[in-house]
Amino acid sequence: MAILKCIECGGKVSSEATTCPHCGYVKGARPPEPSPAPPAQPPAVATKKASPLVIIGACMGGLLLLVILIAAAVGSQSTCKITSLKNSADTFYVNGQWDYGIITDAVVRLEGKAREVTVTVRLETNQGDITKSKRVAVSDNGSRQVQIQFIEPTVSTNVRQSYATCQ
């Protein structure tokens, strides 16, 4: 015979006893399940309606902020354009050897804030089209000459048309 602890009340009970002498718990019976707590109610919150003047003021402030952001975004953009384009044949020293090629001189004009622009030149020749690009920085409302060298064509190359764009 051993002395055990009652799982219901914690009192001392003989291992041969069928019920607890303290609380009457029947050995082998399931302990009673605790009753569920009622769901918590959120505290009542006093609601106050916003006055029409506050709503109108908030809308006007939001609209003003939107106009300022759009004006700042538009004002910070700049546009570039090519103002002149000229091709000339020349020789270059490439990989330790003299080679024939074409030099394209383009003048880029920037209207607006200073930024880097990419100038792309395409030559249409009797031996096919050749395209090259170069990235350069241009100052506020400034212009810059950009020189792009084409070493691919041969001496017999004739430039039919040349195009330049900037972005």
Side-chain angles (χ1 to χ4, degrees):
M1 172 173 93
I3 301 294
L4 304 173
K5 189 175 181 181
C6 174
I7 61 170
E8 184 67 26
C9 70
K12 295 180 181 180
V13 180
S14 167
S15 61
E16 294 180 5
T18 57
T19 61
C20 174
H22 306 286
C23 66
Y25 172 74
V26 178
K27 206 178 203 180
R30 285 189 122 164
E33 293 188 22
S35 61
Q41 295 278 340
V45 177
T47 57
K48 183 178 178 184
K49 291 186 178 182
S51 74
L53 289 178
V54 171
I55 294 171
I56 291 171
C59 290
M60 294 298 284
L63 185 61
L64 180 63
L65 180 63
L66 181 63
V67 168
I68 290 171
L69 290 175
I70 290 172
V74 169
S76 67
Q77 294 178 358
S78 58
T79 57
C80 69
K81 62 182 175 177
I82 304 295
T83 58
S84 75
L85 185 65
K86 184 178 95 176
N87 299 313
S88 58
D90 204 344
T91 56
F92 308 101
Y93 194 67
V94 180
N95 296 328
Q97 296 179 358
W98 287 100
D99 197 0
Y100 170 80
I102 297 172
I103 294 177
T104 300
D105 287 306
V107 177
V108 179
R109 174 89 181 128
L110 187 65
E111 295 175 2
K113 302 272 184 189
R115 66 180 172 99
E116 284 193 352
V117 298
T118 301
V119 177
T120 303
V121 175
R122 187 179 91 207
L123 300 180
E124 291 180 358
T125 73
N126 60 332
Q127 295 180 352
D129 294 353
I130 310 167
T131 303
K132 284 200 172 183
S133 295
K134 190 172 191 179
R135 192 154 178 84
V136 296
V138 183
S139 61
D140 286 351
N141 296 313
S143 62
R144 177 164 181 183
Q145 182 174 350
V146 179
Q147 189 176 75
I148 298 180
Q149 297 175 340
F150 294 87
I151 58 172
E152 295 85 358
T154 63
V155 175
S156 61
T157 300
N158 293 321
V159 177
R160 294 181 182 148
Q161 188 73 28
S162 59
Y163 302 96
T165 60
C166 62
Q167 310 178 6

